[in-house]
């Protein structure tokens, strides 16, 4: 079982603060601090969540320590998987100038309050968004200028998202996501998104009851 010293070393390799680790592992900040300081050992579920968060960034716990491996593909699944994807969006784009998220086949009507809260956090750091949604969808939480309508016959509510050097693809009936860290792939998907964007109609109005 991993210990506080290994977790401190893993944070150093990942260049994460205790706050970032807490958010990425869905663990309280006080729990992280206590484990690292040796005030508590941490339960099996907590340590597993911490280990899984590091694994997604390529930080692996070994018999004698910790090592960093290339993390070009992440698989995010299990409880709160979409929130953990949005955590990755937030930290990937943090402090980047002109940061933008491109969302293909999203539907904000499906977003629960905790997801909306996370999107607001992402936008509040200065990140802009553009989305391609289904043509009859007027529940748009941002400015209508940020949306384009895709014809119904081509729309599937399986989100593909491009941000920074990453492409996120939802899979398996929207129960997991695969995140590819690949600059050229992100550029290719971004070009495809922009081509679709130019050809599609902009909505005229929003009926959303809550706004970003």
């Amino acid at each position: 079982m991993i210990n506080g010293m290994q977790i401190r070393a893993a944070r150093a390799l990942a260049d994460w603060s205790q706050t970032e680790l807490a958010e990425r592992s869905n663990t309280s900040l006080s729990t992280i601090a206590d484990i690292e300081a040796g005030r508590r050992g941490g339960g099996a579920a907590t340590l597993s969540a911490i280990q899984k968060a590091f694994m997604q960034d390529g930080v692996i716990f070994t018999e004698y320590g910790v090592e960093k491996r290339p993390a070009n593909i992440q698989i995010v699944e299990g409880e709160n998987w979409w929130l953990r994807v949005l955590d990755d969006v937030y930290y990937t784009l943090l402090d980047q100038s002109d940061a933008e998220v491109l969302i293909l086949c999203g539907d904000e009507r499906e977003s629960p309050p905790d997801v909306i809260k996370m999107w607001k956090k992402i936008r509040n750091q200065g990140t802009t968004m553009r989305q391609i949604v289904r043509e009859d969808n007027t529940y748009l939480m941002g400015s209508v200028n940020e949306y384009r309508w895709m014809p119904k016959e081509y729309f599937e509510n399986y989100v593909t998202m491009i941000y920074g050097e990453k492409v996120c693809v939802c899979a398996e009936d929207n129960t997991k996501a695969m995140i590819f860290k690949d600059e050229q792939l992100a550029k290719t998907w971004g070009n495809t998104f922009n081509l679709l964007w130019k050809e599609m109609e902009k909505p005229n109005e929003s009926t959303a009851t809550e706004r970003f």
Side-chain angles (χ1 to χ4, degrees), residues 24 47 52 64 82 116 119 123 130 162 181:
R24 286 179 176 264
L47 294 177
K52 184 178 292 185
Y64 300 106
W82 185 241
I116 293 172
W119 275 122
R123 292 176 68 102
R130 285 187 287 147
I162 305 100
K181 185 178 181 181

Side-chain angles (χ1 to χ4, degrees), residues 63-117:
E63 182 179 359
Y64 300 106
V66 186
E67 65 179 81
K68 175 83 169 175
R69 297 176 182 174
N72 295 327
I73 301 177
Q74 302 177 37
I75 298 177
V76 185
E77 57 189 337
E79 187 177 2
N80 295 322
W81 67 276
W82 185 241
L83 285 175
R84 286 188 280 122
V85 169
L86 296 185
D87 276 339
D88 190 71
V89 174
Y90 176 80
Y91 284 108
T92 297
L93 300 180
L94 186 64
D95 298 327
Q96 286 192 15
S97 59
D98 302 322
E100 183 177 46
V101 182
L102 306 178
I103 302 171
L104 179 63
C105 294
D107 189 341
E108 290 167 347
R109 294 172 295 187
E110 303 293 327
S111 298
D114 51 355
V115 169
I116 293 172
K117 181 180 178 180

Side-chain angles (χ1 to χ4, degrees), residues 19-192:
T19 299
E20 183 169 352
L21 173 57
E23 292 184 351
R24 286 179 176 264
S25 62
N26 196 29
T27 305
S28 72
L29 178 58
S30 62
T31 297
I32 299 295
D34 285 348
I35 293 173
E36 290 193 4
R39 290 189 288 269
R40 70 167 86 170
T46 297
L47 294 177
S48 176
I50 291 171
Q51 191 166 3
K52 184 178 292 185
F54 280 121
M55 287 176 65
Q56 290 171 357
D57 197 59
V59 177
I60 308 298
F61 293 88
T62 66
E63 182 179 359
Y64 300 106
V66 186
E67 65 179 81
K68 175 83 169 175
R69 297 176 182 174
N72 295 327
I73 301 177
Q74 302 177 37
I75 298 177
V76 185
E77 57 189 337
E79 187 177 2
N80 295 322
W81 67 276
W82 185 241
L83 285 175
R84 286 188 280 122
V85 169
L86 296 185
D87 276 339
D88 190 71
V89 174
Y90 176 80
Y91 284 108
T92 297
L93 300 180
L94 186 64
D95 298 327
Q96 286 192 15
S97 59
D98 302 322
E100 183 177 46
V101 182
L102 306 178
I103 302 171
L104 179 63
C105 294
D107 189 341
E108 290 167 347
R109 294 172 295 187
E110 303 293 327
S111 298
D114 51 355
V115 169
I116 293 172
K117 181 180 178 180
M118 191 62 207
W119 275 122
K120 288 181 177 179
K121 180 179 178 181
I122 291 169
R123 292 176 68 102
N124 286 342
Q125 72 177 6
T127 299
T128 60
M129 294 169 59
R130 285 187 287 147
Q131 299 193 51
I132 294 176
V133 301
R134 203 170 90 162
E135 64 180 337
D136 59 351
N137 184 358
T138 60
Y139 195 90
L140 313 173
M141 296 180 66
S143 164
V144 293
N145 294 323
E146 298 175 347
Y147 300 85
R148 293 294 184 271
W149 271 342
M150 174 181 283
K152 296 178 186 178
E153 61 266 32
Y154 300 113
F155 183 91
E156 296 288 344
N157 188 212
Y158 267 60
V159 171
T160 296
M161 188 161 54
I162 305 100
Y163 56 101
E165 297 180 353
K166 297 182 178 180
V167 176
C168 172
V169 180
C170 294
E172 293 189 6
D173 199 26
N174 282 319
T175 60
K176 67 188 296 185
M178 297 185 69
I179 301 175
F180 302 87
K181 185 178 181 181
D182 186 315
E183 183 178 4
Q184 190 58 48
L185 181 64
K187 182 177 180 180
T188 299
W189 268 103
N191 289 341
T192 301

